[in-house]
Amino acid sequence: MRFKHNKMTSKYAPEIPVEPWIPPEETKLGDTVNWAPLYTLDLEQIKGEGFSEVPEQVIRDTGDALANVGFIYAINHGLSYDQVLRQYSIGQHTFDKIPEQDKKEYTADIINSGSYCGYKQIGHWKIDQVADRIEQWNFGSAAYAQEVAKRKYPESLRPFLDEIHEFARFNHDVVVRKILSVISLVLKVPYDYLWNLSKKYETEGDDFLRYMLVHRPPAEEDAETKGVRIQGHTDFGSLTVLWSQPIASLQVLGKDNVWRTVGHRPNALIVNLGDSLHFLSGGYLSATIHRVIAPPEDQLKYRRLNVLYFSMFDNDVKLLPIPESSVAQEAYKTRKFWEEREKNGEPVPTSREWNGLRISRYGQQHSKLGADGHHHEIIAGHHVTLYNDTQPQPEPKAIAAA
Ligand SMILES: O=C(O)CCC(=O)C(=O)O
Ligand SMILES: [Fe+2]
């Protein structure tokens, strides 16, 4: 592992000045926010060659948390907070200093390619008729090779690619790999089982690192969406790693149907699992619904910058319960994932097919509002729900104050 020093500033692109990102102030509204109590996984406890050693208690507790809540904190990942802040600073730079013309030219063809790799424009997604206010740069793990990078990223951004690549690799090779070890053991298969399905990420995977900037919408748009910036959804892949930042906008939907806000922990990670791991675990592990809403009143003035890594299984992995996992097989007894497809004699989707379909369809208004108040859509014969509030909610304070 090459990360050793506290600062990553000098080695890469030293000729380009990058303004430091100053973390916004945390909310002072403390107890008025309904915080989500999440289990904390200490990554330092996962040791050994290929991360083969995981204490029994860690397997049990992480397994329970991922089966029930679906979101955890992870600490002691091995990077200093300075290194993480450097990533936020580069993220900020990519939104504020890359010319608009470059963003336009390198906008990803999300609908046709089923990949976010490149720039995502504001307004690509819609909730009902309201366009989103979110910019993103997505760095596909298979797009750092020079000939690909030239097509995907403007020259103004290319000097940062080696540094972004190294950070993305750390996400995959250390954070994701460690957690996949734990989850393999939860599913009672060898520790490297899930890693072996995730190793080809730079050649045959859809994995990507994302910088994301949520702008504040005009008051009338916020009123229309009730402050929802990203509608309640599950992620598509195996694991999502969020590098914690202070704006308290991420909410998870509990099994009790209550939305709770995930609190910020400096230099911690927030990790959740996506559809693909839900499928491989026979439904034992939860791909929990989450959304992004307007922050508490005292943070409403800030833009929200976030750094995330989305890990996927290798392209050809079939999204079926792991045959060797007694846990997955037991959980699957009461479920069916691909009944409709199998009935039509169609093959079970692969990781690549599922990611591609979900990515190209998301936010394109293919879903229909149901009597339950949520939006519904059938993808590859599978029922996907995009969650709204089902009970009238009080106007979010942040909106009422706008
Ligand atoms: O920004 C966040 O906290 C979560 C974003 C998210 O859910 C996503 O990009 O899939
Ligand atoms: Fe998400």
Side-chain angles (χ1 to χ4, degrees):
M1 205 220 313
R2 278 180 286 163
F3 283 103
K4 280 207 190 78
H5 309 290
N6 270 353
K7 299 239 184 244
M8 307 199 308
T9 42
S10 58
K11 200 165 118 196
Y12 298 99
E15 71 287 1
I16 304 179
V18 175
E19 275 174 36
W21 177 73
I22 312 294
E25 273 193 51
E26 289 187 46
T27 178
K28 303 217 166 33
L29 296 184
D31 290 347
T32 62
V33 179
N34 190 7
W35 299 109
L38 301 184
Y39 167 74
T40 300
L41 168 64
D42 180 355
L43 293 167
E44 260 179 10
Q45 296 214 45
I46 305 159
K47 299 193 171 99
E49 180 76 30
F51 307 126
S52 56
E53 296 165 25
V54 188
E56 276 304 319
Q57 188 70 37
V58 171
I59 301 171
R60 249 196 321 272
D61 293 348
T62 309
D64 287 350
L66 290 178
N68 294 313
V69 184
F71 269 70
I72 57 173
Y73 288 112
I75 56 167
N76 293 329
H77 44 70
L79 299 192
S80 69
Y81 200 33
D82 274 351
Q83 289 174 310
V84 177
L85 293 176
R86 167 72 179 166
Q87 280 299 312
Y88 271 86
S89 303
I90 298 173
Q92 175 176 261
H93 183 95
T94 66
F95 295 115
D96 292 347
K97 296 294 192 308
I98 299 298
E100 289 307 310
Q101 182 55 34
D102 283 357
K103 293 181 182 174
K104 208 166 148 201
E105 206 172 309
Y106 288 85
T107 292
D109 183 9
I110 300 169
I111 294 177
N112 291 309
S113 67
S115 161
Y116 287 124
C117 190
Y119 179 73
K120 176 205 161 287
Q121 300 266 6
I122 283 177
H124 174 75
W125 296 326
K126 288 195 178 60
I127 304 178
D128 289 327
Q129 296 305 318
V130 183
D132 77 78
R133 294 277 170 181
I134 300 173
E135 288 184 78
Q136 299 174 349
W137 280 102
N138 291 293
F139 300 92
S141 293
Y144 296 107
Q146 279 213 353
E147 49 315 339
V148 188
K150 271 195 193 140
R151 281 187 278 114
K152 296 287 179 189
Y153 310 108
E155 208 175 324
S156 51
L157 204 155
R158 275 180 236 146
F160 295 101
L161 284 180
D162 284 346
E163 188 169 0
I164 295 169
H165 188 184
E166 188 174 76
F167 180 69
R169 274 197 174 160
F170 179 83
N171 278 263
H172 200 88
D173 291 350
V174 179
V175 177
V176 168
R177 188 172 180 180
K178 280 189 172 191
I179 299 173
L180 289 179
S181 261
V182 182
I183 296 176
S184 296
L185 296 169
V186 167
L187 297 178
K188 300 196 194 307
V189 290
Y191 75 92
D192 54 356
Y193 191 99
L194 293 170
W195 173 247
N196 285 334
L197 305 178
S198 316
K199 282 200 294 208
K200 294 189 269 184
Y201 63 108
E202 295 200 344
T203 49
E204 294 174 41
D206 275 342
D207 309 69
F208 58 92
L209 182 87
R210 169 177 292 172
Y211 298 142
M212 162 166 146
L213 184 63
V214 184
H215 294 270
R216 180 182 181 178
E220 60 276 13
E221 282 180 20
D222 243 353
E224 211 166 314
T225 62
K226 296 206 180 71
V228 175
R229 314 280 204 245
I230 300 182
Q231 198 178 16
H233 65 280
T234 56
D235 291 345
F236 327 133
S238 55
L239 291 172
T240 305
V241 177
L242 300 102
W243 292 79
S244 186
Q245 56 70 48
I247 305 288
S249 287
L250 172 65
Q251 292 195 318
V252 296
L253 186 63
K255 290 216 158 81
D256 56 359
N257 221 20
V258 173
W259 292 102
R260 293 185 179 82
T261 303
V262 178
H264 171 51
R265 290 178 63 178
N267 211 18
L269 306 172
I270 297 148
V271 179
N272 65 291
L273 61 89
D275 299 334
S276 302
L277 245 176
H278 174 77
F279 293 136
L280 263 68
S281 71
Y284 180 74
L285 301 170
S286 295
T288 293
I289 304 288
H290 55 284
R291 67 178 183 177
V292 176
I293 61 156
E297 204 175 315
D298 56 348
Q299 290 187 319
L300 195 58
K301 59 181 181 282
Y302 297 118
R303 311 186 298 178
R304 180 175 185 267
L305 181 66
N306 207 356
V307 176
L308 312 86
Y309 183 78
F310 293 84
S311 173
M312 315 281 171
F313 290 119
D314 295 337
N315 284 347
D316 55 357
V317 171
K318 292 248 185 226
L319 300 181
L320 274 176
I322 297 171
E324 298 90 339
S325 167
S326 56
V327 177
Q329 291 301 324
E330 184 60 32
Y332 197 55
K333 281 184 183 158
T334 54
R335 297 180 167 88
K336 275 267 172 283
F337 293 146
W338 309 112
E339 210 172 16
E340 193 62 32
R341 265 175 99 95
E342 284 167 346
K343 233 175 19 206
N344 298 336
E346 290 163 342
V348 168
T350 60
S351 171
R352 170 70 201 130
E353 285 162 350
W354 181 253
N355 296 333
L357 281 169
R358 288 222 58 192
I359 289 169
S360 64
R361 296 179 68 85
Y362 187 80
Q364 304 310 306
Q365 306 198 276
H366 295 297
S367 57
K368 298 266 174 297
L369 189 62
D372 58 358
H374 303 308
H375 280 85
H376 299 270
E377 177 175 3
I378 304 293
I379 300 183
H382 189 77
H383 188 152
V384 171
T385 306
L386 296 156
Y387 280 70
N388 300 313
D389 289 323
T390 48
Q391 293 140 14
Q393 303 280 326
E395 180 102 328
K397 272 210 183 125
I399 307 301

